[in-house]
Amino acid sequence: MEIEKKDIRALSKEQLRDFFVANGDKSFRGNQVYEWLWSKGAHSFDDMTNLAKGTRGMLESNFVINHIKVDTMQRSEDGTVKNALRLHDGLVVESVLIPTKTRTTACVSSQVGCSLDCNFCATARLKRMRNLEPAEIYDQVIAIDRESKLYYNHPLSNIVFMGMGEPLMNYNNVMKAIEMITSEEGLGMSPKRIMVSTSGIPKMIKKLADDDVKFKLAVSLHSAIDEIRARIMPFSANFPLADLRESLEYWYRKTKSKVSYEYVVWKGINDNQESVDALVKFCKYVPCKVNLIEYNPIDDGEFQQASEEATNAYIKGLQSIGVVVKVRRSRGKDIDAACGQLANKEA
Ligand code: SF4
């Protein structure tokens, strides 16, 4: 029976150094391999040209490099690029490159499918198949960085964890991926340019604060009224807004970093004055910004974009208490790359 080989990128630099020492070689060989894997993005052991043939062969017989492959790439008429990425076990995740005049942003996935059940979201229909490994998250970023240079002549400037999956349900792997993205051996990107977006799991928000993370936090709020929020995001019935509020106060006390609330206004769901007033009240608890996001219906069911007047009522309410509010137009609609639309349709 053939033994399944381990992905070498699951090893830390120290573990790689130990591996070489245990195999009668010098520990610095571990540094060389680490550099090939992360800084130089080697896809095979044969690429590691400063290693002796015997060393490459030894690595080959012990490990694999599970790189993700771009399966299909679609470009929207607005310049948005969507990648469907094939993982080593055949599963597919999607990530998106969103260009604007001043920046290019990667929207990356953290799980295949999602653990949660937001009713407006196409990914939720896939259910969670598995968590992504740190290297699989990192590879999405590298693929988009390459495309950003190719199509827009500059490297990727920002990353948002708003693709498939709830990042805080894959906490350790997301943290490891961010460590790599921000390290000098990886992309050397400032954590201030990274935003992790959660559907709002209080215990994990507190953990982020305790772990003293330096990236930004966004919360998909969508309603500041428990009953309405539970209709939109059924799992949130287990996490009342009072608990979410407490965790965000804790986050701000520890990090002094503003929270961004992601909010969609849907017709007949939260397009009323009571919802506006509730959000305005919620926004007073913790320094914050609000992004009102244009919605892309995934079918002709319950969730449809509300009228412009409804959105304007939110803008007026939030501005009256000095909260910065932005209306985010959706990008990449024609290729199903917009918010809530990632569902592996091409896979
Ligand atoms: S919106 Fe995000 S958390 Fe909710 S089901 Fe979709 S991917 Fe999961």
Side-chain angles (χ1 to χ4, degrees), residues 91-114:
L91 293 172
V92 174
V93 286
E94 293 176 340
S95 48
V96 183
L97 160 63
I98 307 149
T100 65
K101 278 194 193 113
T102 52
R103 53 170 73 172
T104 50
T105 302
C107 176
V108 297
S109 296
S110 55
Q111 299 181 308
V112 189
C114 188

PDB file of all heavy atoms in Angstrom, residues 91-114:
ATOM      1  N   LEU A  91     -11.547  19.203  -5.280  1.00  0.00           N
ATOM      2  CA  LEU A  91     -12.555  20.209  -4.936  1.00  0.00           C
ATOM      3  C   LEU A  91     -12.172  21.567  -5.540  1.00  0.00           C
ATOM      4  O   LEU A  91     -11.009  21.767  -5.926  1.00  0.00           O
ATOM      5  CB  LEU A  91     -12.682  20.332  -3.414  1.00  0.00           C
ATOM      6  CG  LEU A  91     -13.249  19.103  -2.701  1.00  0.00           C
ATOM      7  CD1 LEU A  91     -13.150  19.259  -1.192  1.00  0.00           C
ATOM      8  CD2 LEU A  91     -14.707  18.867  -3.112  1.00  0.00           C
ATOM      9  N   VAL A  92     -13.157  22.455  -5.596  1.00  0.00           N
ATOM     10  CA  VAL A  92     -12.921  23.759  -6.240  1.00  0.00           C
ATOM     11  C   VAL A  92     -13.330  24.895  -5.289  1.00  0.00           C
ATOM     12  O   VAL A  92     -14.346  24.797  -4.603  1.00  0.00           O
ATOM     13  CB  VAL A  92     -13.741  23.858  -7.548  1.00  0.00           C
ATOM     14  CG1 VAL A  92     -13.630  25.247  -8.166  1.00  0.00           C
ATOM     15  CG2 VAL A  92     -13.285  22.815  -8.556  1.00  0.00           C
ATOM     16  N   VAL A  93     -12.513  25.933  -5.238  1.00  0.00           N
ATOM     17  CA  VAL A  93     -12.926  27.163  -4.546  1.00  0.00           C
ATOM     18  C   VAL A  93     -12.762  28.332  -5.512  1.00  0.00           C
ATOM     19  O   VAL A  93     -12.066  28.212  -6.521  1.00  0.00           O
ATOM     20  CB  VAL A  93     -12.103  27.486  -3.272  1.00  0.00           C
ATOM     21  CG1 VAL A  93     -12.458  26.576  -2.141  1.00  0.00           C
ATOM     22  CG2 VAL A  93     -10.613  27.496  -3.557  1.00  0.00           C
ATOM     23  N   GLU A  94     -13.382  29.436  -5.156  1.00  0.00           N
ATOM     24  CA  GLU A  94     -13.288  30.604  -6.031  1.00  0.00           C
ATOM     25  C   GLU A  94     -12.680  31.784  -5.286  1.00  0.00           C
ATOM     26  O   GLU A  94     -12.853  31.923  -4.075  1.00  0.00           O
ATOM     27  CB  GLU A  94     -14.690  30.974  -6.532  1.00  0.00           C
ATOM     28  CG  GLU A  94     -15.246  29.904  -7.467  1.00  0.00           C
ATOM     29  CD  GLU A  94     -16.668  30.143  -7.939  1.00  0.00           C
ATOM     30  OE1 GLU A  94     -17.401  30.924  -7.294  1.00  0.00           O
ATOM     31  OE2 GLU A  94     -17.059  29.542  -8.934  1.00  0.00           O
ATOM     32  N   SER A  95     -11.964  32.598  -6.043  1.00  0.00           N
ATOM     33  CA  SER A  95     -11.486  33.860  -5.484  1.00  0.00           C
ATOM     34  C   SER A  95     -11.581  34.916  -6.574  1.00  0.00           C
ATOM     35  O   SER A  95     -11.662  34.590  -7.768  1.00  0.00           O
ATOM     36  CB  SER A  95     -10.073  33.736  -4.928  1.00  0.00           C
ATOM     37  OG  SER A  95      -9.245  33.100  -5.839  1.00  0.00           O
ATOM     38  N   VAL A  96     -11.577  36.165  -6.142  1.00  0.00           N
ATOM     39  CA  VAL A  96     -11.902  37.251  -7.070  1.00  0.00           C
ATOM     40  C   VAL A  96     -10.885  38.392  -6.946  1.00  0.00           C
ATOM     41  O   VAL A  96     -10.458  38.717  -5.839  1.00  0.00           O
ATOM     42  CB  VAL A  96     -13.336  37.791  -6.762  1.00  0.00           C
ATOM     43  CG1 VAL A  96     -13.735  38.875  -7.750  1.00  0.00           C
ATOM     44  CG2 VAL A  96     -14.363  36.667  -6.787  1.00  0.00           C
ATOM     45  N   LEU A  97     -10.521  38.958  -8.081  1.00  0.00           N
ATOM     46  CA  LEU A  97      -9.674  40.154  -8.114  1.00  0.00           C
ATOM     47  C   LEU A  97     -10.560  41.335  -8.477  1.00  0.00           C
ATOM     48  O   LEU A  97     -11.234  41.334  -9.512  1.00  0.00           O
ATOM     49  CB  LEU A  97      -8.578  39.968  -9.177  1.00  0.00           C
ATOM     50  CG  LEU A  97      -7.863  41.202  -9.720  1.00  0.00           C
ATOM     51  CD1 LEU A  97      -7.093  41.922  -8.636  1.00  0.00           C
ATOM     52  CD2 LEU A  97      -6.900  40.824 -10.826  1.00  0.00           C
ATOM     53  N   ILE A  98     -10.577  42.332  -7.599  1.00  0.00           N
ATOM     54  CA  ILE A  98     -11.438  43.496  -7.829  1.00  0.00           C
ATOM     55  C   ILE A  98     -10.558  44.730  -8.026  1.00  0.00           C
ATOM     56  O   ILE A  98      -9.936  45.207  -7.072  1.00  0.00           O
ATOM     57  CB  ILE A  98     -12.391  43.724  -6.633  1.00  0.00           C
ATOM     58  CG1 ILE A  98     -13.147  42.422  -6.322  1.00  0.00           C
ATOM     59  CG2 ILE A  98     -13.368  44.867  -6.897  1.00  0.00           C
ATOM     60  CD1 ILE A  98     -13.507  42.240  -4.874  1.00  0.00           C
ATOM     61  N   PRO A  99     -10.482  45.237  -9.260  1.00  0.00           N
ATOM     62  CA  PRO A  99      -9.650  46.423  -9.487  1.00  0.00           C
ATOM     63  C   PRO A  99     -10.461  47.707  -9.346  1.00  0.00           C
ATOM     64  O   PRO A  99     -11.633  47.761  -9.707  1.00  0.00           O
ATOM     65  CB  PRO A  99      -9.218  46.235 -10.947  1.00  0.00           C
ATOM     66  CG  PRO A  99     -10.349  45.461 -11.571  1.00  0.00           C
ATOM     67  CD  PRO A  99     -11.057  44.692 -10.493  1.00  0.00           C
ATOM     68  N   THR A 100      -9.840  48.730  -8.756  1.00  0.00           N
ATOM     69  CA  THR A 100     -10.419  50.074  -8.802  1.00  0.00           C
ATOM     70  C   THR A 100      -9.313  50.991  -9.327  1.00  0.00           C
ATOM     71  O   THR A 100      -8.213  50.512  -9.596  1.00  0.00           O
ATOM     72  CB  THR A 100     -10.871  50.568  -7.405  1.00  0.00           C
ATOM     73  OG1 THR A 100      -9.713  50.699  -6.587  1.00  0.00           O
ATOM     74  CG2 THR A 100     -11.859  49.630  -6.757  1.00  0.00           C
ATOM     75  N   LYS A 101      -9.590  52.292  -9.388  1.00  0.00           N
ATOM     76  CA  LYS A 101      -8.570  53.213  -9.903  1.00  0.00           C
ATOM     77  C   LYS A 101      -7.314  53.207  -9.026  1.00  0.00           C
ATOM     78  O   LYS A 101      -6.204  53.365  -9.484  1.00  0.00           O
ATOM     79  CB  LYS A 101      -9.139  54.636  -9.951  1.00  0.00           C
ATOM     80  CG  LYS A 101      -9.961  54.854 -11.200  1.00  0.00           C
ATOM     81  CD  LYS A 101     -10.227  56.350 -11.399  1.00  0.00           C
ATOM     82  CE  LYS A 101     -11.305  56.517 -12.450  1.00  0.00           C
ATOM     83  NZ  LYS A 101     -12.552  57.061 -11.950  1.00  0.00           N
ATOM     84  N   THR A 102      -7.527  53.054  -7.704  1.00  0.00           N
ATOM     85  CA  THR A 102      -6.390  53.217  -6.788  1.00  0.00           C
ATOM     86  C   THR A 102      -5.840  51.925  -6.214  1.00  0.00           C
ATOM     87  O   THR A 102      -4.780  51.918  -5.609  1.00  0.00           O
ATOM     88  CB  THR A 102      -6.808  54.115  -5.605  1.00  0.00           C
ATOM     89  OG1 THR A 102      -8.018  53.564  -5.062  1.00  0.00           O
ATOM     90  CG2 THR A 102      -7.033  55.538  -6.054  1.00  0.00           C
ATOM     91  N   ARG A 103      -6.552  50.818  -6.337  1.00  0.00           N
ATOM     92  CA  ARG A 103      -6.072  49.589  -5.703  1.00  0.00           C
ATOM     93  C   ARG A 103      -6.592  48.345  -6.421  1.00  0.00           C
ATOM     94  O   ARG A 103      -7.559  48.434  -7.200  1.00  0.00           O
ATOM     95  CB  ARG A 103      -6.523  49.530  -4.241  1.00  0.00           C
ATOM     96  CG  ARG A 103      -8.021  49.729  -4.084  1.00  0.00           C
ATOM     97  CD  ARG A 103      -8.505  49.431  -2.693  1.00  0.00           C
ATOM     98  NE  ARG A 103      -8.145  50.432  -1.710  1.00  0.00           N
ATOM     99  CZ  ARG A 103      -8.603  50.456  -0.457  1.00  0.00           C
ATOM    100  NH1 ARG A 103      -9.413  49.511  -0.042  1.00  0.00           N
ATOM    101  NH2 ARG A 103      -8.270  51.401   0.372  1.00  0.00           N
ATOM    102  N   THR A 104      -5.940  47.213  -6.136  1.00  0.00           N
ATOM    103  CA  THR A 104      -6.545  45.944  -6.555  1.00  0.00           C
ATOM    104  C   THR A 104      -6.698  45.092  -5.305  1.00  0.00           C
ATOM    105  O   THR A 104      -5.776  44.956  -4.505  1.00  0.00           O
ATOM    106  CB  THR A 104      -5.695  45.172  -7.591  1.00  0.00           C
ATOM    107  OG1 THR A 104      -4.365  45.075  -7.109  1.00  0.00           O
ATOM    108  CG2 THR A 104      -5.722  45.801  -8.954  1.00  0.00           C
ATOM    109  N   THR A 105      -7.882  44.552  -5.150  1.00  0.00           N
ATOM    110  CA  THR A 105      -8.209  43.796  -3.945  1.00  0.00           C
ATOM    111  C   THR A 105      -8.483  42.341  -4.303  1.00  0.00           C
ATOM    112  O   THR A 105      -9.182  42.059  -5.276  1.00  0.00           O
ATOM    113  CB  THR A 105      -9.460  44.407  -3.261  1.00  0.00           C
ATOM    114  OG1 THR A 105      -9.170  45.772  -2.954  1.00  0.00           O
ATOM    115  CG2 THR A 105      -9.830  43.671  -1.994  1.00  0.00           C
ATOM    116  N   ALA A 106      -7.919  41.439  -3.485  1.00  0.00           N
ATOM    117  CA  ALA A 106      -8.223  40.012  -3.648  1.00  0.00           C
ATOM    118  C   ALA A 106      -9.293  39.642  -2.643  1.00  0.00           C
ATOM    119  O   ALA A 106      -9.163  39.951  -1.460  1.00  0.00           O
ATOM    120  CB  ALA A 106      -6.972  39.185  -3.377  1.00  0.00           C
ATOM    121  N   CYS A 107     -10.345  39.008  -3.118  1.00  0.00           N
ATOM    122  CA  CYS A 107     -11.361  38.480  -2.216  1.00  0.00           C
ATOM    123  C   CYS A 107     -11.134  36.965  -2.181  1.00  0.00           C
ATOM    124  O   CYS A 107     -11.286  36.302  -3.221  1.00  0.00           O
ATOM    125  CB  CYS A 107     -12.750  38.835  -2.748  1.00  0.00           C
ATOM    126  SG  CYS A 107     -14.077  38.121  -1.773  1.00  0.00           S
ATOM    127  N   VAL A 108     -10.714  36.442  -1.043  1.00  0.00           N
ATOM    128  CA  VAL A 108     -10.305  35.033  -0.996  1.00  0.00           C
ATOM    129  C   VAL A 108     -11.251  34.184  -0.142  1.00  0.00           C
ATOM    130  O   VAL A 108     -11.956  34.692   0.726  1.00  0.00           O
ATOM    131  CB  VAL A 108      -8.847  34.874  -0.495  1.00  0.00           C
ATOM    132  CG1 VAL A 108      -7.866  35.542  -1.435  1.00  0.00           C
ATOM    133  CG2 VAL A 108      -8.680  35.426   0.909  1.00  0.00           C
ATOM    134  N   SER A 109     -11.203  32.887  -0.397  1.00  0.00           N
ATOM    135  CA  SER A 109     -12.040  31.927   0.324  1.00  0.00           C
ATOM    136  C   SER A 109     -11.255  31.285   1.460  1.00  0.00           C
ATOM    137  O   SER A 109     -10.030  31.155   1.379  1.00  0.00           O
ATOM    138  CB  SER A 109     -12.519  30.833  -0.636  1.00  0.00           C
ATOM    139  OG  SER A 109     -13.349  31.387  -1.631  1.00  0.00           O
ATOM    140  N   SER A 110     -11.979  30.872   2.502  1.00  0.00           N
ATOM    141  CA  SER A 110     -11.322  30.207   3.636  1.00  0.00           C
ATOM    142  C   SER A 110     -11.811  28.782   3.839  1.00  0.00           C
ATOM    143  O   SER A 110     -11.197  28.006   4.567  1.00  0.00           O
ATOM    144  CB  SER A 110     -11.554  31.020   4.910  1.00  0.00           C
ATOM    145  OG  SER A 110     -12.936  31.220   5.112  1.00  0.00           O
ATOM    146  N   GLN A 111     -12.935  28.425   3.224  1.00  0.00           N
ATOM    147  CA  GLN A 111     -13.465  27.058   3.319  1.00  0.00           C
ATOM    148  C   GLN A 111     -13.996  26.641   1.943  1.00  0.00           C
ATOM    149  O   GLN A 111     -14.315  27.498   1.122  1.00  0.00           O
ATOM    150  CB  GLN A 111     -14.639  26.997   4.309  1.00  0.00           C
ATOM    151  CG  GLN A 111     -14.276  27.406   5.729  1.00  0.00           C
ATOM    152  CD  GLN A 111     -15.465  27.306   6.678  1.00  0.00           C
ATOM    153  OE1 GLN A 111     -16.537  27.841   6.408  1.00  0.00           O
ATOM    154  NE2 GLN A 111     -15.277  26.604   7.789  1.00  0.00           N
ATOM    155  N   VAL A 112     -14.101  25.328   1.745  1.00  0.00           N
ATOM    156  CA  VAL A 112     -14.798  24.848   0.546  1.00  0.00           C
ATOM    157  C   VAL A 112     -16.256  24.727   0.965  1.00  0.00           C
ATOM    158  O   VAL A 112     -16.588  23.919   1.837  1.00  0.00           O
ATOM    159  CB  VAL A 112     -14.290  23.467   0.079  1.00  0.00           C
ATOM    160  CG1 VAL A 112     -14.896  23.122  -1.281  1.00  0.00           C
ATOM    161  CG2 VAL A 112     -12.780  23.412   0.039  1.00  0.00           C
ATOM    162  N   GLY A 113     -17.121  25.554   0.379  1.00  0.00           N
ATOM    163  CA  GLY A 113     -18.491  25.657   0.883  1.00  0.00           C
ATOM    164  C   GLY A 113     -18.462  26.515   2.138  1.00  0.00           C
ATOM    165  O   GLY A 113     -17.532  27.294   2.339  1.00  0.00           O
ATOM    166  N   CYS A 114     -19.459  26.374   2.998  1.00  0.00           N
ATOM    167  CA  CYS A 114     -19.467  27.173   4.222  1.00  0.00           C
ATOM    168  C   CYS A 114     -20.160  26.440   5.345  1.00  0.00           C
ATOM    169  O   CYS A 114     -21.117  25.695   5.115  1.00  0.00           O
ATOM    170  CB  CYS A 114     -20.165  28.518   3.981  1.00  0.00           C
ATOM    171  SG  CYS A 114     -19.985  29.625   5.420  1.00  0.00           S
TER     172      CYS A 114
END
